[in-house]
Amino acid sequence: MTELSAHLPQFQHGQLTENFPDTHLSNTNDNSERRRHDNSERRRNDNPESETNGQPQNNIQQVVEQDEEEDEELTLKYGAKHVIMLFVPVTLCMVVVVATIKSVSFYTRKDGQLIYTPFTEETETVGQRALNSILNAAIMISVIIVMTILLVVLYKYRCYKVIHGWLIISSLLLLFFFSFIYLGEVFKTYNVAMDYITVALMIWNFGVVGMICIHWKGPLRLQQAYLIMISALMALVFIKYLPEWTAWLILAVISVYDLVAVLCPKGPLRMLVETAQERNETLFPALIYSSTMIWLVNMAEEDPEAQRKSKNSTYDKQAPASQTRNEDAEADDGGFSQEWQQQRDNRIGPIESTPESRAAVQALPSNSQTSEDPEERGVKLGLGDFIFYSVLVGKASATASGDWNTTLACFVAILIGLCLTLLLLAIFKKALPALPISITFGLVFYFATDNLVQPFMDQLAFHQFYI
Amino acid sequence: PAFGLFLFTIARDPLRIIILIAGAFFWLVSLLLSSLIWFIAVKASDPQDERLQKGLLIFGVMFSVLLQEAFRFLYYKLLRKAIEGLVALSEDGCSPISIQQMAYVAGVGFGLMSGAFSMINLLADALGPGTVGIHGDSQLYFLTSAFMTMVLIFLHTFWGILFFHGCEHRRWWEIAAVVIMHLTVSGSSFCNPLYVGSLVPSYLLMAAAAAWAYLLSGGSAQNLRRFLLCKW
């Protein structure tokens, strides 16, 4: 039964679209807002002085100069907090994946491959294997590219319904089907007896709550938890169904692709970001993980008090689109229309929205003049990033001879890569691909640790030497 | 205990967590390079000769110790630069984190990573079936490993503080002392499985380093007494 159901996803994958993660962190529009904010604040501060010393001109000039520095300050000051806000979910996802891989043997058994990777790696010669894996990787990457371009085209021509539908179907699949398989395997591993009715009830509840949380509204923590869970599920599927060399090759190529797609002027992702910005919308209901709520609280224009009341740190930023929190992502199906997240969270709103803000969901495109409280600025990371990080760490723990050492090394490498990426984000303030640096570090450390450090540590442990 | 240290003192402040992870990263890189050297040496030598292998291993260990200290120094340099950046950026002109805190966190980072690498495979194996020391090796293998790892983690922490302090005040003898201590501890582990030879000196050295670091950080016997009396 399991064998059969295991084969199903392969066929289903054929029908579903696979879009890959382009994950970018970005930081748009931040400057202008902050500048405005700083301006207003400074002016408030400076005004009494300007009256006394009678040199308003100087003050304003100073204001402008200092604004720039303050921009940087604010960015970097909140940098550490944001990094941690991202560390925690990435760590959680990786921990879940590693724990599953270590305990449930299903995900390390070779049960066949996806139809996207038709060439097998059980060949006789090394050369043949290399060739096969290169072909596999090429096919996979081209599928991803095609999907991304399709997505961009759909977005450009405003076929929102199609995109919505696609995302909903994929999240349905992920939430119900994959978690059913996962649950089944976990029960098998721990030899827990369970009847179908209970399982059906549990999966149904899990799935429905997940759909609501992700696509609509729900508590922030719950949404984050769901996003982490589906990223983990997706990563597990990849780990299971991708043969070794193919997996490493794909990881490498996809980080290159990410780099290219985001930074090149003609890259699909970049076009997507720009289109979204032109239209002042949020990138669509996508697959992004956000560390705080993105509420659209533009009604602040009319009602600053209500907004202030609703949460301690109301932070309303310009108007690019209303992005309701729920429109935040889900990672999708076998393919993932992962959305890369670009916008450095500009639109952080209160954590719990008031009924009024909920009503005012569709943003007014005008720039609101409300003062922002920059405390709760958050960062967004695409779910594809989560997935690929977890794939890397999961593969490391599954197939490495160094076992935990390798896993730990890859983990630290990925976290450091994430740190560096966020640092770059703070410096450049625009959409950045989150994959390349981390994956590069991760790959380097994986291969190095597995081949070099492992024998060394083994010998040391054997003789009980300590370094 | 090291993990407890982490929870109580580091987990609150995000900046410290970053410094911790970066410290772990630096240790990892140093380990990587040293194992690279060892690997090359092993490949270039005769795999049959056991004494040679053991000698190479010892050489590898020493080299690794030196590399670790070198990387600690590099990390110190990096943190100096970072502190200047943080000071420039902060509102009130002083850094949100002092160099001593950084030293402490960096030490913990190094220590945790080294401890993790030493212990974790052991722990994983310990979960499985088997008897300790069935082939005539010591039966206390796990226990001593645990203690040794703990002492090493603490030592790294103290060495971090001492090292940074030495760099700050340009007292080269402090830095040299740290390096020598590290070499001694690693060297003493060569006496294993004669555990008396390795554990006891290590603990003594740790106590010494602890006292020294405490004094350097501004503590004193008086403070200690006041602290203990207050609480009680």
Side-chain angles (χ1 to χ4, degrees):
Chain A
M1 176 71 159
T2 3
E3 299 310 298
L4 193 60
S5 52
H7 284 291
L8 277 181
Q10 299 174 28
F11 295 114
Q12 294 222 327
H13 279 142
Q15 295 154 15
L16 296 168
T17 41
E18 225 148 283
N19 218 352
F20 277 144
D22 326 343
T23 51
H24 315 305
L25 315 173
S26 91
N27 186 359
T28 52
N29 296 325
D30 231 67
N31 263 340
S32 46
E33 264 51 49
R34 230 175 286 137
R35 207 159 288 170
R36 224 173 338 116
H37 169 64
D38 291 334
N39 255 328
S40 47
E41 234 186 39
R42 288 230 145 220
R43 261 187 221 121
R44 269 184 260 124
N45 292 339
D46 283 341
N47 270 338
E49 296 163 13
S50 58
E51 277 156 30
T52 53
N53 62 19
Q55 285 171 345
Q57 281 296 34
N58 281 353
N59 280 344
I60 296 187
Q61 269 180 356
Q62 276 172 356
V63 164
V64 171
E65 277 161 15
Q66 273 160 328
D67 269 351
E68 297 224 1
E69 292 168 16
E70 287 202 7
D71 278 349
E72 314 264 332
E73 270 180 43
L74 288 171
T75 321
L76 288 172
K77 222 167 35 150
Y78 296 110
K81 205 155 75 148
H82 298 151
V83 173
I84 301 303
M85 287 201 280
L86 280 187
F87 266 13
V88 174
V90 172
T91 314
L92 273 179
C93 194
M94 288 199 248
V95 161
V96 167
V97 169
V98 170
T100 314
I101 296 256
K102 286 291 178 190
S103 54
V104 180
S105 66
F106 172 69
Y107 288 103
T108 40
R109 264 201 324 257
K110 279 209 61 76
D111 277 336
Q113 297 180 203
L114 296 175
I115 62 168
Y116 294 109
T117 54
F119 298 98
T120 170
E121 282 200 10
E122 317 280 334
T123 60
E124 278 119 29
T125 66
V126 175
Q128 185 72 4
R129 186 174 189 187
L131 185 66
N132 276 356
S133 45
I134 292 180
L135 287 174
N136 275 343
I139 295 181
M140 196 68 136
I141 297 295
S142 38
V143 167
I144 296 174
I145 296 183
V146 163
M147 286 308 148
T148 318
I149 295 187
L150 189 64
L151 199 63
V152 175
V153 161
L154 281 178
Y155 190 65
K156 249 192 146 92
Y157 294 113
R158 300 182 187 265
C159 308
Y160 292 140
K161 297 259 186 238
V162 178
I163 298 181
H164 278 296
W166 175 8
L167 286 178
I168 291 189
I169 293 183
S170 37
S171 51
L172 263 176
L173 179 78
L174 207 62
L175 278 176
F176 287 103
F177 189 56
F178 284 160
S179 34
F180 172 63
I181 296 183
Y182 178 76
L183 210 59
E185 291 307 319
V186 168
F187 284 148
K188 263 194 235 163
T189 310
Y190 290 109
N191 219 6
V192 173
M194 183 69 80
D195 55 301
Y196 277 121
I197 302 185
T198 316
V199 167
L201 211 57
M202 284 198 318
I203 298 279
W204 174 254
N205 281 337
F206 179 73
V208 168
V209 175
M211 289 297 284
I212 294 182
C213 240
I214 296 173
H215 289 277
W216 198 46
K217 305 180 217 296
L220 179 69
R221 288 285 175 220
L222 198 58
Q223 188 199 24
Q224 292 176 338
Y226 266 102
L227 291 177
I228 295 179
M229 279 192 271
I230 50 186
S231 307
L233 280 177
M234 204 56 239
L236 284 170
V237 167
F238 270 129
I239 295 176
K240 179 172 171 63
Y241 286 112
L242 283 181
E244 280 193 41
W245 289 19
T246 312
W248 298 118
L249 268 178
I250 287 185
L251 277 175
V253 178
I254 213 172
S255 45
V256 170
Y257 167 67
D258 202 25
L259 197 64
V260 161
V262 174
L263 295 178
C264 281
K266 275 301 173 192
L269 300 177
R270 183 145 168 178
M271 286 189 343
L272 204 59
V273 180
E274 284 166 7
T275 320
Q277 283 178 357
E278 276 167 37
R279 296 186 196 163
N280 262 348
E281 297 172 351
T282 38
L283 272 217
F284 64 104
L287 317 148
I288 21 185
Y289 175 93
S290 81
S291 46
T292 63
M293 259 207 59
I294 315 162
W295 258 119
L296 174 251
V297 201
N298 272 325
M299 27 94 46
E301 236 179 340
E302 301 108 9
D303 198 0
E305 277 80 51
Q307 185 187 359
R308 218 63 69 70
K309 265 189 315 202
S310 65
K311 203 57 253 127
N312 32 15
S313 34
T314 315
Y315 172 9
D316 166 56
K317 243 313 174 172
Q318 25 127 26
S322 21
Q323 183 175 11
T324 51
R325 192 189 356 116
N326 2 43
E327 303 210 42
D328 255 0
E330 6 104 290
D332 86 347
D333 61 356
F336 4 100
S337 8
Q338 240 71 346
E339 245 337 328
W340 7 269
Q341 197 12 36
Q342 294 103 318
Q343 275 121 335
R344 176 128 186 218
D345 222 334
N346 300 349
R347 310 184 211 104
I348 306 306
I351 310 269
E352 270 124 40
S353 59
T354 60
E356 298 124 301
S357 54
R358 256 180 233 159
V361 152
Q362 292 316 325
L364 327 161
S366 58
N367 269 336
S368 57
Q369 294 300 90
T370 55
S371 65
E372 324 139 341
D373 188 359
E375 280 178 31
E376 295 295 325
R377 224 167 291 170
V379 181
K380 293 191 208 157
L381 185 61
L383 281 191
D385 286 332
F386 278 84
I387 295 186
F388 280 115
Y389 292 159
S390 311
V391 167
L392 199 145
V393 175
K395 267 275 184 236
S397 75
T399 63
S401 60
D403 234 10
W404 287 99
N405 280 345
T406 321
T407 313
L408 203 54
C410 288
F411 171 67
V412 173
I414 289 183
L415 284 186
I416 294 288
L418 196 60
C419 257
L420 283 176
T421 313
L422 284 173
L423 195 67
L424 284 181
L425 181 68
I427 297 179
F428 287 117
K429 301 199 208 305
K430 54 180 215 164
L432 282 185
L435 281 181
I437 301 181
S438 290
I439 301 264
T440 318
F441 275 6
L443 284 177
V444 163
F445 270 79
Y446 169 74
F447 285 113
T449 314
D450 203 23
N451 299 328
L452 295 175
V453 178
Q454 191 39 39
F456 189 44
M457 293 306 291
D458 259 347
Q459 287 291 311
L460 285 182
F462 180 66
H463 294 282
Q464 224 176 9
F465 291 164
Y466 280 90
I467 56 167
Chain B
F3 198 56
L5 259 185
F6 168 71
L7 277 180
F8 285 126
T9 58
I10 297 186
R12 303 282 154 180
D13 188 6
L15 199 55
R16 295 186 201 169
I17 297 189
I18 298 180
I19 300 182
L20 181 92
I21 304 272
F25 180 70
F26 271 78
W27 187 88
L28 198 60
V29 176
S30 87
L31 179 67
L32 207 72
L33 289 176
S34 49
S35 55
L36 178 67
I37 305 279
W38 177 81
F39 194 70
I40 295 177
V42 164
K43 285 297 177 202
S45 71
D46 175 18
Q48 297 307 87
D49 186 357
E50 238 209 64
R51 283 212 53 96
L52 181 62
Q53 292 299 316
K54 197 150 186 216
L56 273 182
L57 199 61
I58 295 187
F59 160 71
V61 170
M62 291 299 159
F63 194 74
S64 169
V65 169
L66 292 173
L67 262 183
Q68 279 179 42
E69 297 304 323
F71 269 84
R72 213 196 288 269
F73 183 66
L74 279 177
Y75 194 40
Y76 165 73
K77 282 263 180 260
L78 185 70
L79 284 180
R80 285 290 292 160
K81 288 225 181 86
I83 249 193
E84 285 163 24
L86 281 174
V87 168
L89 291 178
S90 75
E91 281 178 341
D92 44 2
C94 70
S95 157
I97 186 169
S98 75
I99 190 79
Q100 282 122 344
Q101 285 181 353
M102 279 197 187
Y104 164 70
V105 176
V108 175
F110 268 55
L112 272 181
M113 203 57 186
S114 109
F117 259 68
S118 311
M119 272 307 279
I120 204 156
N121 272 336
L122 224 59
L123 285 174
D125 283 337
L127 282 178
T131 323
V132 183
I134 198 169
H135 281 212
D137 298 315
S138 159
Q139 287 182 326
L140 297 170
Y141 188 72
F142 282 142
L143 217 51
T144 47
S145 297
F147 277 114
M148 194 67 191
T149 310
M150 188 177 86
V151 85
L152 207 60
I153 298 182
F154 282 146
L155 274 175
H156 269 292
T157 314
F158 298 134
W159 285 335
I161 301 181
L162 295 173
F163 195 87
F164 280 37
H165 186 261
C167 289
E168 279 287 312
H169 299 261
R170 305 226 171 277
R171 296 200 202 147
W172 305 119
W173 60 273
E174 277 190 19
I175 302 179
V178 170
V179 177
I180 293 182
M181 259 202 276
H182 197 168
L183 282 173
T184 322
V185 169
S186 290
S188 71
S189 72
F190 293 151
C191 307
N192 282 339
L194 182 66
Y195 292 124
V196 171
S198 69
L199 274 181
V200 173
S202 309
Y203 270 92
L204 288 177
L205 274 178
M206 181 184 91
W212 190 3
Y214 184 65
L215 287 173
L216 278 185
S217 313
S220 68
Q222 269 186 347
N223 273 353
L224 196 60
R225 211 176 300 140
R226 241 188 298 155
F227 166 73
L228 287 171
L229 286 180
C230 256
K231 288 279 188 165
W232 291 33

